[in-house]
Amino acid sequence: MADIEEPIVDTPEVEEFETEATGPEIKLFGKWSFDDIEVSDISLEDYIACKGPHAVYAPHTAGRYQKKRFRKASCPVVERLACSLMKHGRNNGKKLMANRIVRNTLEVIHLLTDQNPIQVIVDAIINSGPREDSTRVGGAGVVRRQAVDMSPFRRVNYALYLITTGAREATFRNLKSVSECLADEIINAARGSSNSYAIKKKDEIERVSKSNR
């Protein structure tokens, strides 16, 4: 029996498109998106962790950020805010309480500004970090102050410290909750308003260092 040749049929080539494996969008507390966050100060981009791998569902990553110098720069910025609230003995280690305060603060910020609260926090940090400071120079009893530039990393650290300190002082012996006081502090700092404790302190530090140039 003779072999029957099968007819050759041209099959159109199917183009293969590269598809990225995109999972669900990560939103802080299931609400606030990290996608459209912009760091307007180019020098602080590497030290305010709010994009890409630093997007988190909750500001509680349990990372070992104190093991090595500069490692805390990769800690999500909202988590750093929460950690900064856990100050003064009686509040040490109460991270769930700090996270609850931050969650309520984000809600209040959104209600008052109608913006993404993460963006407001980033703007507040950019505005609150002093750019110049003064240090003590000299020895053998002769001490004078010398103005020095502040590194971007220290600017972020100092801004977080000033914002949380201002909120803590505002809520002490006051009917306003700490969430409301923190929201007010962050909103005023983001606007560059002198009603903010952080902005007042930053201006004072820069004024003192200017006189010591």
Side-chain angles (χ1 to χ4, degrees):
M1 192 172 171
D3 291 334
I4 300 168
E5 290 185 8
E6 291 183 5
I8 298 167
V9 181
D10 289 336
T11 53
E13 291 184 11
V14 180
E15 288 185 32
E16 291 185 10
F17 295 102
E18 290 184 14
T19 53
E20 290 183 16
T22 52
E25 186 189 348
I26 295 176
K27 291 186 175 181
L28 183 66
F29 295 118
K31 258 189 136 171
W32 315 114
S33 171
F34 287 92
D35 284 352
D36 50 352
I37 304 300
E38 286 184 8
V39 181
S40 56
D41 191 330
I42 194 169
S43 65
L44 301 182
E45 272 184 341
D46 296 337
Y47 300 104
I48 298 179
C50 58
K51 290 181 187 172
H54 307 300
V56 287
Y57 289 107
H60 200 314
T61 57
R64 301 188 301 177
Y65 297 109
Q66 300 301 325
K67 280 285 180 189
K68 214 169 189 182
R69 195 177 176 200
F70 294 117
R71 189 172 286 174
K72 64 182 179 183
S74 62
C75 179
V77 72
V78 184
E79 183 172 359
R80 292 200 64 193
L81 182 70
C83 292
S84 189
L85 284 168
M86 297 191 291
K87 288 266 183 77
H88 297 325
R90 60 183 183 173
N91 299 321
N92 287 167
K94 298 182 182 178
K95 193 157 186 181
L96 295 182
M97 183 180 80
N99 283 356
R100 193 193 70 234
I101 291 168
V102 169
R103 192 177 70 224
N104 294 341
T105 299
L106 296 176
E107 296 283 359
V108 175
I109 290 172
H110 180 66
L111 286 172
L112 292 177
T113 62
D114 211 25
Q115 290 175 274
N116 185 339
I118 304 171
Q119 181 66 62
V120 180
I121 289 173
V122 169
D123 292 342
I125 290 170
I126 290 169
N127 289 343
S128 304
R131 290 157 294 192
E132 195 178 22
D133 201 355
S134 48
T135 183
R136 291 160 64 96
V137 173
V142 183
V143 176
R144 69 183 189 86
R145 311 278 287 183
Q146 172 65 45
V148 289
D149 292 335
M150 202 181 266
S151 72
F153 193 38
R154 183 166 161 78
R155 278 181 66 191
V156 173
N157 299 345
Y158 218 104
L160 286 164
Y161 164 75
L162 289 177
I163 287 169
T164 50
T165 304
R168 196 178 294 110
E169 287 187 10
T171 192
F172 193 62
R173 293 188 178 170
N174 191 348
L175 287 174
K176 275 177 111 172
S177 71
V178 66
S179 303
E180 292 170 314
C181 290
L182 183 58
D184 285 344
E185 178 66 35
I186 289 169
I187 290 167
N188 285 331
R191 289 175 180 158
S193 164
S194 57
N195 291 338
S196 159
Y197 171 92
I199 297 288
K200 271 191 287 199
K201 281 286 181 189
K202 171 205 170 187
D203 290 342
E204 184 186 328
I205 290 166
E206 289 184 348
R207 192 173 62 248
V208 170
S209 61
K210 189 176 180 181
S211 65
N212 289 319
R213 278 179 187 165

